[in-house]
């Protein structure tokens, strides 16, 4: 069903994902989880560099929505990027992942990346399903303007099948499937690299985002396809 697998951490068992993916013939976007836990950050970076030197990393990411969570400053994130860039094999592109608007507000962040990784969620910004694709395209085009010719990869976008609406954005199976199909057609037609969020429903997110947060998968929590 897919050509790539994205991982978010290189510790706690996640370090095994890239090797398994390679055994299955998949490419990997491997992320080091960066937060305000400086000791863990060092373990994550060390593990990411090790995986990269073993040939298991096609694209590398340092941090996911760290600025969104307000855990580190922009300069701290850039500092980690520069450190990891010096340690990684030169052929592996490196970037940082966050909501698209952080790159619009902080152009130095894009400059510190080889490739700009953006999360784009029309749903969370209250866009109705009928114009959600155009909304996401606008997010992408705005980011391209500040990327200065660097590749922009959409690292997350999706739509929930159940839960609470956000303004005009309505969760439903029909809307989730429509958004999936529309984004796939657009990405293939425009040669845009895109990771769809998510493969599986994540029941543990009920504590963070309510029912809505648990219902983004194309498969349910029991690995059954939701849209057959």
């Amino acid at each position: 069903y897919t050509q790539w697998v994205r991982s978010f951490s290189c510790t706690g068992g996640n370090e095994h994902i890239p090797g398994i993916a390679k055994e299955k013939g998949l490419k990997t976007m491997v992320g080091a989880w960066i937060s305000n836990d400086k000791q863990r950050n060092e373990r994550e970076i060390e593990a990411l560099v090790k995986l990269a030197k073993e040939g298991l990393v096609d694209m590398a990411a340092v941090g996911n929505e760290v600025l969104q969570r307000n855990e580190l400053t922009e300069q701290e994130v850039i500092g980690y990027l520069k450190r990891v860039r010096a340690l990684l094999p030169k052929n592996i592109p490196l970037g940082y992942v966050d909501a698209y608007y952080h790159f619009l507000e902080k152009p130095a962040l894009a400059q510190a990346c080889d490739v700009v990784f953006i999360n784009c969620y029309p749903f969370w910004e209250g866009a109705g399903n009928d114009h959600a694709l155009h909304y996401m395209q606008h997010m992408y085009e705005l980011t391209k303007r500040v990327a200065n010719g660097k590749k922009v990869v959409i690292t997350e976008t999706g739509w929930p099948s159940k839960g609470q609406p956000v303004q005009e954005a309505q969760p439903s199976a029909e809307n989730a499937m429509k958004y999936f199909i529309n984004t796939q057609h657009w990405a293939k037609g425009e040669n845009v690299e895109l990771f769809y969020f998510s493969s599986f429903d994540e029941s543990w997110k009920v504590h963070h985002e309510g029912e809505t947060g648990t219902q983004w998968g194309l498969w349910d929590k029991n690995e059954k396809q939701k849209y057959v």
Side-chain angles (χ1 to χ4, degrees), residues 44 84 168 195 201:
E44 288 278 346
V84 175
E168 295 178 26
F195 289 83
D201 282 345

Side-chain angles (χ1 to χ4, degrees), residues 71-83:
E71 291 184 340
L72 294 175
T73 67
E74 176 189 2
Q75 288 308 313
E76 285 176 312
V77 172
I78 290 173
Y80 278 118
L81 282 166
K82 288 180 177 178
R83 275 186 55 205

Side-chain angles (χ1 to χ4, degrees), residues 155-203:
T155 39
E156 292 181 31
T157 195
W159 201 274
S161 57
K162 291 181 184 175
Q164 296 298 313
V166 178
Q167 299 172 40
E168 295 178 26
Q170 296 287 336
S172 73
E174 182 180 350
N175 284 345
M177 198 71 261
K178 187 189 296 183
Y179 186 74
F180 174 77
I181 292 169
N182 287 343
T183 56
Q184 295 300 316
H185 278 308
W186 170 69
K188 289 181 179 179
E190 298 295 324
N191 200 29
V192 173
E193 295 183 32
L194 180 149
F195 289 83
Y196 199 80
F197 188 89
S198 178
S199 47
F200 301 101
D201 282 345
E202 299 174 293
S203 55

Side-chain angles (χ1 to χ4, degrees), residues 100-101 103-104 116 118-120 133-154 186-187 189-193:
Y100 71 101
Y101 45 80
F103 294 96
L104 309 185
V116 178
I118 57 173
N119 295 344
C120 299
L133 177 63
H134 295 296
Y135 198 108
M136 195 260 284
Q137 290 169 336
H138 186 57
M139 297 171 172
Y140 177 75
E141 292 300 327
L142 287 174
T143 310
K144 281 185 70 176
R145 292 178 197 171
V146 300
N148 291 323
K150 294 179 179 179
K151 181 191 289 187
V152 176
V153 175
I154 297 173
W186 170 69
E190 298 295 324
N191 200 29
V192 173
E193 295 183 32

Side-chain angles (χ1 to χ4, degrees), residues 60-75:
V62 171
N64 179 73
E65 295 188 343
V66 183
L67 298 176
Q68 186 78 0
R69 296 191 304 274
N70 201 30
E71 291 184 340
L72 294 175
T73 67
E74 176 189 2
Q75 288 308 313

Side-chain angles (χ1 to χ4, degrees), residues 11 85 134 207:
T11 64
R85 180 65 278 169
H134 295 296
H207 302 296

